[in-house]
């Protein structure tokens, strides 16, 4: 019989794997840093039993302002005395009260550019100024989107409600303010409520 040659076991070569790990760690760290998530601060409406009424009735109650986002436009609710001074709001039509800020073209807004963000912002600036003149607390606005409204429209309404803007002239993003006003704070506390009809 032939003698068996003893085969020497070779150790595993880990150098290529260590090189790969050494290269991948900095690449992954750089990639993680470049991915940033945008956060929009908002609150949800309070849930629970109503609090007991108190005897302290404020002289000037806070402004209960809401903005409804619907397919036929934007409806400002809770500021009729500022929007229609000395008069009454338009009569309710068959489908309910008409929008305060209708679509730019037609009766249905088909996208972001069909909503009149500039007109909404102007009306909110006027409401804020009048509420401050009346010494009413005016820091909150409630957004009430209909159930079919896309999230990007809610973000546009939030932006138009928070900051006074002089112009919306960006063709790529029609709800982006291109001329922020000096005293630009409008309603910084935005609350998103359940869907409107």
């Amino acid at each position: 019989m032939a003698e068996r040659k003893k085969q020497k076991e070779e150790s595993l070569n880990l150098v290529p794997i260590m090189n790969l790990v050494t290269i991948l760690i900095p690449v992954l760290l750089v990639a993680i840093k470049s991915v940033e998530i945008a956060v929009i601060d908002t609150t949800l409406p309070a849930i629970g039993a109503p609090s007991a009424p108190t005897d302290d009735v404020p002289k000037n109650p806070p402004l209960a302002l809401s903005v409804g986002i619907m397919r036929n436009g934007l409806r400002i609710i809770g500021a009729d005395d500022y929007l229609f001074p000395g008069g009454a709001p338009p009569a309710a039509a068959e489908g309910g009260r008409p929008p305060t800020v209708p679509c730019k073209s037609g009766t249905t807004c088909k996208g972001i550019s069909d909503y009149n963000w500039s007109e909404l912002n102007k009306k909110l600036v006027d409401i804020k100024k009048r509420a401050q003149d009346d010494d009413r607390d005016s820091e909150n606005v409630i957004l009430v989107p209909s159930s079919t409204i896309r999230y990007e429209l809610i973000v546009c309404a939030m932006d138009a409600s928070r900051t006074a803007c002089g112009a919306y002239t960006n063709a790529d993003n029609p709800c982006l303010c291109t001329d922020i006003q000096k005293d630009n704070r409008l309603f910084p506390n935005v609350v998103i409520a359940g869907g409107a009809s």
Side-chain angles (χ1 to χ4, degrees):
M1 281 194 155
E3 276 186 43
R4 291 185 178 176
K5 291 184 179 179
K6 290 185 178 178
Q7 293 180 351
K8 185 179 177 184
E9 290 185 21
E10 293 185 24
S11 62
L12 188 61
N13 187 5
L14 296 176
V15 172
I17 294 173
M18 294 302 290
N19 287 340
L20 180 66
V21 169
T22 305
I23 292 171
L24 280 179
I25 289 174
V27 170
L28 291 174
L29 289 174
V30 169
I32 289 172
K33 180 62 180 164
S34 66
V35 176
E36 293 185 19
I37 298 174
V39 176
I40 300 173
D41 292 327
T42 184
T43 56
L44 294 173
I47 298 174
S51 59
T54 61
D55 294 335
D56 298 335
V57 177
K59 180 181 175 186
N60 296 323
L63 186 64
L65 182 67
S66 298
V67 176
I69 310 167
M70 290 133 337
R71 286 279 176 212
N72 63 348
L74 303 161
R75 184 182 305 154
I76 299 173
I77 306 161
D80 288 347
D81 47 343
Y82 298 128
L83 289 171
F84 313 103
E94 207 174 276
R97 184 171 162 183
T100 313
V101 182
C103 299
K104 289 181 181 176
S105 59
T107 57
T108 303
C109 300
K110 294 176 178 57
I112 291 178
S113 58
D114 286 342
Y115 287 89
N116 196 338
W117 303 111
S118 176
E119 184 65 25
L120 172 66
N121 192 263
K122 286 178 188 175
K123 288 188 182 296
L124 291 177
V125 166
D126 187 47
I127 291 169
K128 176 77 172 185
K129 183 178 180 297
R130 291 175 184 234
Q132 285 177 335
D133 291 345
D134 290 345
D135 291 328
R136 291 180 76 178
D137 179 25
S138 57
E139 295 291 311
N140 303 326
V141 63
I142 300 171
L143 297 183
V144 188
S146 68
S147 58
T148 58
I149 294 300
R150 294 189 324 239
Y151 184 71
E152 61 188 345
L153 293 172
I154 297 171
V155 172
C156 287
M158 290 173 79
D159 291 343
S161 301
R162 286 181 170 163
T163 308
C165 182
Y168 290 89
T169 56
N170 188 328
D172 295 332
N173 188 353
C175 69
L176 179 67
C177 178
T178 54
D179 180 24
I180 296 176
Q181 300 298 301
K182 182 180 176 186
D183 297 324
N184 62 358
R185 186 175 161 154
L186 284 179
F187 302 97
N189 303 329
V190 178
V191 178
I192 300 176
S197 56

